[in-house]
Amino acid sequence: MLCIILFIFRITLADFIRIDMLYVPTIQICKDLFLVAMPSPDREGIARFVGGLHVYCCTISAPYYTRIMKILLIWTFSGLMLAAGLNHLVNPYFYKTFIPKPLPLLAVNYIFGIIEFGLGAGLLIPGYRRYAALGLLILMIFFLPFHLIDVFRKDPAIGSKLLAYIRLPLQFVLIWWAWYISK
């Protein structure tokens, strides 16, 4: 069980702390655990399968707090993008004032909802994190002119001039956020 738990949480632990991959002869450890825990006739086969997993010895590295901050930023940004993507799909008419008139409202809304959701989910997968962050960086830069135009409109799409003025610098924060995650 310990080997399975270490295998499942290996990626999450690798995000928070530096992993020194010290190979421990886990076959014997896992066999002992499974022989005690599982009275089934196939316990040797399961022990051989799980015995192939590595046990990681975790040590805290010097930039520990920087890594924790980056992971918190990744998870927060991912949560925002997942929520925004779901909101595009659940409440499409909320975004009707943001989409330019000649474009098909629902199609554009659903496409960007799926893109935002997919990129937000990509941030949670370490192997795709950099690509998802670069995609979000491009997406945030793509949205910047629309937010800039909205500031100078008589009736901003976001509802009020104050909100348009707040959203514009917030867009630069999102651009920096995506860039920081991508490096």
Side-chain angles (χ1 to χ4, degrees):
M1 184 60 111
L2 176 65
C3 293
I4 293 172
I5 291 170
L6 286 173
F7 179 70
I8 291 171
F9 292 108
R10 174 179 58 86
I11 293 172
T12 305
L13 287 174
D15 283 338
F16 283 103
I17 51 183
R18 192 188 67 167
I19 302 295
D20 289 330
M21 298 184 0
L22 301 174
Y23 183 74
V24 177
T26 57
I27 295 173
Q28 188 57 45
I29 294 170
C30 292
K31 276 185 182 178
D32 293 344
L33 286 172
F34 276 97
L35 289 176
V36 171
M38 296 184 62
S40 72
D42 193 30
R43 60 186 180 192
E44 276 297 314
I46 294 172
R48 276 194 306 276
F49 170 74
V50 176
L53 304 176
H54 299 296
V55 173
Y56 294 95
C57 177
C58 305
T59 58
I60 298 174
S61 64
Y64 178 70
Y65 296 107
T66 306
R67 290 192 51 79
I68 287 179
M69 181 58 74
K70 188 168 185 177
I71 293 303
L72 290 175
L73 287 173
I74 289 168
W75 284 75
T76 305
F77 200 32
S78 175
L80 288 172
M81 289 299 104
L82 289 171
L86 282 177
N87 195 38
H88 274 281
L89 302 175
V90 172
N91 191 9
Y93 291 102
F94 175 78
Y95 299 95
K96 70 180 178 183
T97 58
F98 298 103
I99 299 171
K101 298 286 186 239
L103 298 175
L105 174 71
L106 288 178
V108 170
N109 185 46
Y110 287 139
I111 288 169
F112 279 103
I114 292 168
I115 289 171
E116 286 179 3
F117 187 84
L119 292 173
L123 286 178
L124 297 176
I125 304 168
Y128 296 103
R129 183 171 293 151
R130 185 169 193 282
Y131 301 113
L134 288 172
L136 284 169
L137 177 65
I138 292 167
L139 190 66
M140 295 300 129
I141 291 171
F142 175 77
F143 286 149
L144 184 62
F146 297 109
H147 297 317
L148 189 60
I149 291 168
D150 205 33
V151 166
F152 296 109
R153 278 183 163 170
K154 183 179 177 185
D155 295 320
I158 198 163
S160 72
K161 283 279 199 190
L162 178 64
L163 289 176
Y165 286 129
I166 292 171
R167 184 177 62 175
L168 188 60
L170 185 61
Q171 191 68 22
F172 286 105
V173 171
L174 294 174
I175 289 169
W176 173 83
W177 204 344
W179 170 79
Y180 181 73
I181 291 170
S182 72
K183 62 179 190 148

